[in-house]
Amino acid sequence: MTRLLFVDDDQNILSGLRRMMRGLRDDWQLDFALGGKQALAAMELEAYDVIVSDMRMPVVDGAMLLSEVQARWPSTVRIVLSGQSEMGRILQATGPAHQYLSKPCDPEILRATVTQCCFLRDRLPNAHLQQLVSQQSTVHSEPALLHHVIEELRSSRGDIQRVASLAARDIGMSAKILQLVSTSFFGQRRRVMSVEQAVMLIGLDLMRELVLSAKVFRPFASPCATELDLAQLNAHCQKVADCSWNIAKGIADSEQLQGDSRIAGMLHDVGKVVLASCQPDDYRRALKLAREKQITIWQAEMEVFGAS
């Protein structure tokens, strides 16, 4: 049974959540903590699959709580459930939170979000890798592309279309931007058809905050950067994205399907960057194994990591 911990500093809100979630008790074990300190104490006693926390709480706020959970219980899915909050608090949560839901939240939306997050987590069969991946606040980016994005955002003539074009060429920036737009971090969650569209929705000022102040994006500096050429990988992913879009365009009139196909093509190799960042020595071993045995990289990853 999936175990959830709801956290808020307002007892009335916790009571309301308890009533709202009553119909899900057959599927989920639901516990409630009054504030961040009580939540940490509860997590020390029992393992939770999901923590759902408010942002504005005294002493230990939502961002601090989820950062602590990320460090100590990395396999726990971390969701913010909060009303309007200061932009600074929201930016703090963009790292440790997997999803951001706005109050009031429909129980079915919450159910779907929790179900999807747990499903994606459980798709990875290796428990150690589950923890490593869950600790990643972002996917590291190609240093040259990130540098150009930073220069554009610092410029008095910064152009959002130029920023969007640069970000869409990088796996890491694309993944993080899509995560932020498809959840409720910055208003109503959106389903977009391209990374460029997602950047345009975020806007120039907020992109500046994310990149320059919150430092949501990080350059790829793995020890195996020489073996895994991120510029080459990004170029390959762009080609796959274009091919995927063309195939989808040839078989369906749906612009959303075409956009989804392009995004899937762009992100299809994101796991390589994650593995190379999380466990560079093991990833080097996998690359060497692929060369020596003349097997595909995913087959070598299966031998080394037990997952691809």
Side-chain angles (χ1 to χ4, degrees):
M1 180 177 285
T2 303
R3 297 178 299 277
L4 275 78
L5 179 64
F6 288 89
V7 189
D8 202 292
D9 66 314
D10 188 325
Q11 186 62 62
N12 291 328
I13 291 177
L14 286 180
S15 298
L17 284 169
R18 194 186 300 271
R19 289 191 298 272
M20 184 179 81
M21 307 305 293
R22 189 173 291 145
L24 302 177
R25 285 195 172 275
D26 290 340
D27 302 317
W28 296 344
Q29 174 188 316
L30 305 175
D31 292 333
F32 302 85
L34 188 62
K37 279 191 171 183
Q38 194 176 110
L40 291 173
M43 293 200 68
E44 287 175 351
L45 297 175
E46 183 169 0
Y48 286 95
D49 297 293
V50 182
I51 183 169
V52 182
S53 176
D54 186 32
M55 279 292 290
R56 299 185 67 178
M57 299 185 293
V59 187
V60 179
D61 66 14
M64 293 169 61
L65 172 61
L66 295 185
S67 294
E68 185 73 9
V69 172
Q70 181 183 29
R72 296 174 62 185
W73 302 282
S75 59
T76 300
V77 173
R78 303 175 295 274
I79 299 174
V80 170
L81 177 60
S82 186
Q84 293 297 319
S85 183
E86 296 94 341
M87 183 53 63
R89 291 177 185 268
I90 294 175
L91 289 172
Q92 286 177 342
T94 56
H98 292 117
Q99 292 283 303
Y100 192 111
L101 300 176
S102 299
K103 292 178 181 175
C105 181
D106 187 308
E108 286 306 312
I109 291 177
L110 181 55
R111 181 205 282 267
T113 301
V114 169
T115 300
Q116 182 185 41
C117 287
C118 290
F119 171 78
L120 292 173
R121 182 198 60 183
D122 295 342
R123 286 275 292 173
L124 196 57
N126 184 303
H128 178 58
L129 282 181
Q130 275 187 14
Q131 292 189 351
L132 286 174
V133 170
S134 188
Q135 282 179 314
Q136 299 298 298
S137 298
T138 189
V139 181
H140 292 193
S141 300
E142 182 187 333
L145 277 176
L146 182 55
H147 175 72
H148 289 319
V149 168
I150 291 171
E151 280 192 329
E152 191 69 29
L153 291 171
R154 282 179 173 161
S155 170
S156 58
R157 298 181 179 179
D159 179 11
I160 189 62
Q161 291 186 331
R162 173 68 176 158
V163 172
S165 176
L166 288 166
R169 289 162 50 191
D170 180 76
I171 306 173
M173 284 187 275
S174 295
K176 191 64 182 181
I177 287 165
L178 289 167
Q179 180 212 7
L180 295 175
V181 170
S182 64
T183 185
S184 302
F185 274 104
F186 308 118
Q188 186 177 359
R189 60 199 300 171
R190 309 285 186 93
R191 187 174 179 194
V192 296
M193 290 186 287
S194 69
V195 177
E196 292 91 340
Q197 182 190 1
V199 174
M200 299 298 286
L201 286 170
I202 291 174
L204 191 63
D205 290 341
L206 196 45
M207 281 296 296
R208 259 195 210 99
E209 290 289 331
L210 288 169
V211 176
L212 303 181
S213 300
K215 297 182 179 177
V216 166
F217 307 110
R218 297 177 185 174
F220 182 65
S222 169
C224 50
T226 52
E227 292 97 331
L228 184 68
D229 187 328
L230 196 51
Q232 189 178 59
L233 189 67
N234 276 333
H236 163 73
C237 288
Q238 282 189 282
K239 289 180 181 178
V240 174
D242 291 340
C243 287
S244 302
W245 180 79
N246 278 312
I247 291 170
K249 190 176 180 183
I251 63 173
D253 293 330
S254 168
E255 290 187 357
Q256 186 66 62
L257 177 62
Q258 294 164 19
D260 288 348
S261 299
R262 183 189 288 276
I263 289 170
M266 184 63 195
L267 297 182
H268 81 282
D269 267 344
V270 67
K272 292 182 178 179
V273 185
V274 174
L275 289 174
S277 302
C278 286
Q279 290 191 273
D281 292 339
D282 287 336
Y283 201 70
R284 267 181 170 164
R285 189 152 58 91
L287 291 171
K288 182 180 179 183
L289 189 66
R291 289 193 301 268
E292 291 177 348
K293 288 192 173 184
Q294 294 188 330
I295 57 178
T296 63
I297 184 59
W298 71 263
Q299 289 172 315
E301 288 166 357
M302 288 299 297
E303 286 197 35
V304 174
F305 295 99
S308 67

